[in-house]
């Protein structure tokens, strides 16, 4: 065989080896992304806990970029400590503790009033913050933290139909909101994730938990968002406390004057009953 022919054959073999290596690398990356979004994971089988699996094509959130051109990892901390993906209901302060959770803010009128009531009675709460609201009112997010309360991620746009949306949409809602909350708070991350309207999926719970946000449920729902009246809210909370410690109230999404007044009545009653105020277990 002439030298020119041998050289051409060697180049062909080298090119083939390079192509095979690139294909293997691409396959490995795709499998990693599929694992992130459920494409080849157990989450796409029967959804856990009656939740629906994300629909649509597998998302690749690790390749999505946010407004600053970074990957989807929220804020400066790239490796948050993972937490359990099981819904949290219990209190970290014992059996005679109440977890006050307040959703849909911050709101420029009702969040400060809620904070004033909490401070008056020496109570603390977990505020489930909507990302878009955090961008509008960062000073209120900072005040929430400064007064000893905790932050919870409540989605970026409060999409209560997230459980019927593709995984890519769910990831964007959760991670964009996580970044907005961290930036608004001055670097304090959300410690929990509560799906708007309770629209959890197995995928969204696992994604939030992997980013250090414990999925957060509730035990007591007085449906204060429906404006049933202050007396009805108070009665409902009192009667449901036997169900467990985590109380759901609202400071955003509408006129929440009834919720503020109900909280003002409930806190001193709870203290008289011997309750303390804690945070959901992480």
């Amino acid at each position: 065989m002439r030298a020119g022919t041998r050289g051409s054959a060697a180049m062909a073999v080298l090119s083939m080896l390079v192509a095979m290596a690139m294909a293997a690398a691409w396959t490995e990356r795709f499998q990693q992304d599929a694992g992130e979004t459920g494409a080849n994971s157990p989450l796409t089988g029967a959804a856990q806990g009656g939740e629906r699996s994300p629909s649509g094509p597998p998302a690749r959130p690790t390749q999505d970029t946010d407004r600053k051109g970074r990957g989807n990892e929220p804020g400066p901390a790239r490796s948050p400590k993972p937490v359990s993906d099981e819904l949290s209901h219990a209190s970290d302060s014992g059996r005679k503790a109440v977890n006050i959770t307040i959703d849909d803010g911050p709101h420029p009128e009702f969040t400060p009033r809620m904070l004033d009531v909490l401070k008056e009675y020496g109570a603390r709460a977990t505020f489930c913050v909507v990302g878009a609201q955090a961008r509008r009112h960062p000073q209120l997010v900072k005040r929430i933290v400064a007064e000893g309360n905790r932050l919870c991620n409540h989605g970026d746009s409060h999409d209560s139909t997230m459980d019927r949306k593709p995984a890519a949409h769910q990831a964007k809602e959760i991670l964009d909101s996580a970044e907005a909350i961290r930036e608004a708070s001055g670097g304090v991350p959300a410690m929990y994730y509560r799906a708007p309207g309770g629209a959890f999926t197995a995928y969204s719970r696992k994604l939030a938990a992997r980013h250090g946000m414990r999925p957060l449920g509730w035990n007591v729902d007085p449906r204060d968002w429906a404006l049933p009246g202050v007396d009805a809210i108070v009665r409902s909370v009192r009667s449901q406390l036997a169900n467990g410690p985590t109380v759901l109230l609202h400071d955003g999404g509408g006129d929440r004057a009834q919720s503020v007044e109900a909280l003002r009545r409930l806190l001193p009653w709870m203290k008289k009953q011997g309750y303390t105020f804690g945070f959901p277990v992480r």
Side-chain angles (χ1 to χ4, degrees), residues 25-42:
W26 183 89
T27 300
E28 181 181 2
R29 176 61 182 275
F30 177 81
Q31 290 173 343
Q32 290 174 348
D33 290 342
E36 281 281 307
T37 59
N40 290 316
S41 81

Side-chain angles (χ1 to χ4, degrees), residues 43-62:
L43 301 184
T44 56
Q48 302 176 12
E51 298 156 337
R52 283 172 286 193
S53 297
S55 59
R60 302 181 69 172
T62 54

Side-chain angles (χ1 to χ4, degrees), residues 212-277:
M213 295 173 283
R214 177 76 183 262
L216 178 57
W218 61 84
N219 307 108
V220 179
D221 181 8
R223 295 174 60 85
D224 61 318
W225 54 268
L227 307 181
V230 176
D231 291 342
I233 296 171
V234 171
R235 283 195 306 270
S236 183
V237 171
R238 290 185 180 185
S239 66
Q240 291 184 53
L241 266 181
N243 298 338
T246 302
V247 179
L248 172 60
L249 294 170
H250 294 80
D251 63 342
D255 185 340
R256 300 301 173 218
Q258 291 182 11
S259 302
V260 173
E261 183 57 30
L263 184 66
R264 189 184 305 280
R265 295 189 194 178
L266 283 166
L267 293 183
W269 175 82
M270 289 174 175
K271 294 182 76 170
K272 287 180 181 179
Q273 302 303 308
Y275 289 103
T276 59
F277 302 103

